[in-house]
Amino acid sequence: ALVVGNKEYVAAHASLINPVNDADDMTKILKQLGFVVMTYQNVSKKDFMQAIDEFGVQLKNYDVGLFYYSGHGGQSKGESYLIPSDINLNSSLEYDCVELGRVFQKMEEASNKVNIAFIDACRTNPLERKKAMVGQGLAIPNNPSGSMVVYATRAGSPARDDHPNGRNGLFTGELIEQLTKNPTLGLRDILDNTSSKVEELSAKKQQPGRYDELKGNFFFLKGNKIIPTETYDDVNANILEGENAFERKMFEDAFRFLNKYRDHALFKADNFTQLGFMYDMGYGAKQDFSEAIKCYQKAANLGSALAEYNLGIMYEKGLGTNQDLKMAAEFY
């Protein structure tokens, strides 16, 4: 995920209240949901462009890409622009701002499975006094294939910067609340709930716009698992403790930390492989080949080559299962 929040602008009259809070809070919830996040605040045009380019490079390593922006935006000649922090009264959208389509181009080039964009721009445009060049709100560029692109408000209208929590823009505050309360809902349901609440709080003066080219549905968390009372930061920290204990060969501690979270959405392929190994070898847990196979299989399903190799050994030697040389060969 690439998260950008522009609050402070060189043009003093352009400064906003909440975009840095928006960026901080979106970064936190996205990390809790398992994203690797690049976060930038109050960026110049040069830094903004470099961040987008780096995002495009990194995106090729992932199945899901997400872009979030909070700050000023505007449109000119049918194109949408995100306004960097170093604009001044003599700036123009076309030459001094960042074209939104650049982000979408990077998403398209990455050819990953899912692309999501949340654009909380469309605050009053600080360059709007240049009426001949600038329109209120944003125009809608071509969206990347397999994408869900969501704007805080519909084309041609402004967005409010005042969620009742006193910390976020109206759209972002409600989106964060829905992601926190209902992370196992499908993306469309989360957006339905967000839009309904934004319209209610604004007396329908702000209506989010959605451009849906998503294939199937998308879930931030798999299944309908009950969310633990621990925060996702806590869970991540405990899983990391387990990984570190495993590396130090402190297997009892590793098993205690890792086994607790084996059904959690944040449990990774490597964690299942480590748990399978401990069952396999009887390190930190009672030796149980059947449990080892279950863990290795889950890790293999998530793409672990090491787990596939270990399954080959289990099937070749008939450990926890009937000997099956054909299956062993397939896993090898």
Side-chain angles (χ1 to χ4, degrees):
L2 172 61
V3 173
V4 178
N6 279 346
K7 170 187 175 181
E8 302 294 340
Y9 285 85
V10 172
H13 75 283
S15 293
L16 295 166
I17 300 171
N18 294 314
V20 167
N21 293 338
D22 291 342
D24 285 343
D25 294 348
M26 280 298 298
T27 296
K28 182 177 180 180
I29 188 65
L30 290 174
K31 284 183 176 180
Q32 290 172 355
L33 294 171
F35 281 81
V36 176
V37 186
M38 303 163 53
T39 304
Y40 296 84
Q41 299 174 354
N42 300 321
V43 289
S44 65
K45 179 184 179 182
K46 179 181 177 181
D47 290 342
F48 206 158
M49 300 275 277
Q50 289 178 340
I52 293 170
D53 289 349
E54 178 62 21
F55 175 59
V57 171
Q58 296 297 329
L59 198 54
K60 296 175 182 178
N61 300 315
Y62 297 88
D63 290 332
V64 179
L66 188 150
F67 174 66
Y68 171 85
Y69 174 76
S70 177
H72 282 302
Q75 61 171 296
S76 176
K77 300 178 182 178
E79 299 291 341
S80 288
Y81 294 88
L82 307 178
I83 300 180
S85 62
D86 56 347
I87 58 105
N88 56 56
L89 291 178
N90 296 317
S91 298
S92 73
L93 284 174
E94 293 174 290
Y95 296 105
D96 300 309
C97 298
V98 177
E99 191 173 340
L100 178 58
R102 184 183 184 91
V103 181
F104 293 167
Q105 180 184 355
K106 298 300 180 182
M107 288 179 158
E108 191 76 57
E109 291 172 354
S111 299
N112 46 349
K113 295 179 180 178
V114 176
N115 290 302
I116 301 167
F118 299 121
I119 314 299
D120 194 353
C122 317
R123 273 96 167 173
T124 303
N125 191 331
L127 305 179
E128 66 183 352
R129 59 192 70 182
K130 298 185 177 184
K131 296 296 184 181
M133 295 181 59
V134 178
Q136 191 179 52
L138 293 179
I140 307 305
N142 292 328
N143 299 327
S145 59
S147 66
M148 176 72 79
V149 179
V150 186
Y151 297 85
T153 189
R154 292 184 176 181
S157 59
R160 288 170 49 173
D161 198 21
D162 58 346
H163 190 273
N165 65 17
R167 177 175 173 82
N168 302 114
L170 182 58
F171 170 79
T172 295
E174 197 53 41
L175 176 62
I176 290 170
E177 189 165 327
Q178 293 300 324
L179 288 172
T180 302
K181 288 181 177 178
N182 304 304
T184 59
L185 290 180
L187 176 56
R188 293 187 180 93
D189 290 328
I190 288 173
L191 294 175
D192 286 345
N193 293 343
T194 300
S195 295
S196 295
K197 192 66 176 178
V198 169
E199 291 182 20
E200 176 188 331
L201 292 172
S202 68
K204 294 191 175 181
K205 293 179 180 178
Q206 180 173 335
Q207 299 181 341
R210 183 190 315 179
Y211 299 86
D212 185 351
E213 297 183 24
L214 198 64
K215 297 176 175 67
N217 205 347
F218 176 80
F219 296 84
F220 285 97
L221 293 181
K222 293 180 180 179
N224 294 313
K225 296 170 184 171
I226 297 172
I227 306 302
T229 55
E230 298 165 288
T231 69
Y232 286 92
D233 283 342
D234 291 335
V235 174
N236 273 323
N238 286 330
I239 290 175
L240 183 60
E241 284 288 337
E243 293 171 348
N244 291 336
F246 184 89
E247 293 299 322
R248 297 194 303 270
K249 298 184 179 180
M250 300 171 63
F251 294 114
E252 289 186 3
D253 288 340
F255 184 83
R256 176 167 53 86
F257 278 109
L258 294 176
N259 192 53
K260 178 180 178 181
Y261 297 106
R262 63 187 296 174
D263 293 324
H264 197 282
L266 299 184
F267 209 67
K268 302 182 291 291
D270 287 349
N271 304 136
F272 279 116
T273 303
Q274 291 163 340
L275 204 55
F277 178 80
M278 287 186 281
Y279 277 121
D280 188 355
M281 304 303 295
Y283 293 164
K286 183 178 179 180
Q287 190 173 49
D288 188 330
F289 294 133
S290 295
E291 281 296 316
I293 287 178
K294 290 179 185 177
C295 292
Y296 286 150
Q297 187 64 66
K298 287 184 177 181
N301 292 343
L302 292 171
S304 170
L306 178 57
E308 291 178 332
Y309 174 77
N310 289 341
L311 281 169
I313 294 174
M314 306 294 279
Y315 278 100
E316 180 184 359
K317 296 184 177 181
L319 300 175
T321 184
N322 294 328
Q323 187 182 48
D324 189 330
L325 299 183
K326 182 178 179 182
M327 286 287 290
E330 289 181 4
F331 280 115
Y332 285 145

